[in-house]
Amino acid sequence: MNHKSTEATKRRHTAPTEGSAGPQVAIDDLAQVCAQAHELMAQGAYEEAMPYLQRALQLDPNYAPGYCHLGQVYYSRMMWSEAEANFKRPSR
């Protein structure tokens, strides 16, 4: 998938919300949310993947891979304590 179509996909699936720190994902299908997050992470777009991972965890708070991937995002941003908390979360 080229960069241009990825940008179109992101715009279609995200919408800014008042008072939010960033875009909020409006997809209600866990598989779609995860696929978009994984695609963005594979491109190294960790920051852009964060709202998709957060949405996945809203849809299924027991989705362990979501916590691991969110930990990777925090790790890439050198947010060590947040990364550690998410890496440990699935084992609780």
Side-chain angles (χ1 to χ4, degrees), residues 6-75:
T6 301
E7 288 299 314
T9 301
K10 285 194 312 188
R11 282 193 302 275
R12 185 172 61 241
H13 293 305
T14 61
T17 58
E18 281 187 45
S20 67
Q24 185 178 41
V25 176
I27 305 171
D28 289 327
D29 179 55
L30 183 60
Q32 281 184 315
V33 174
C34 293
Q36 187 64 33
H38 292 163
E39 180 181 332
L40 290 166
M41 290 181 74
Q43 296 171 8
Y46 292 100
E47 186 77 23
E48 291 86 356
M50 185 177 275
Y52 290 93
L53 296 168
Q54 291 169 332
R55 179 63 179 148
L57 293 171
Q58 285 176 343
L59 293 171
D60 183 358
N62 296 314
Y63 181 62
Y67 292 105
C68 291
H69 293 307
L70 197 53
Q72 289 177 309
V73 171
Y74 285 122
Y75 186 86

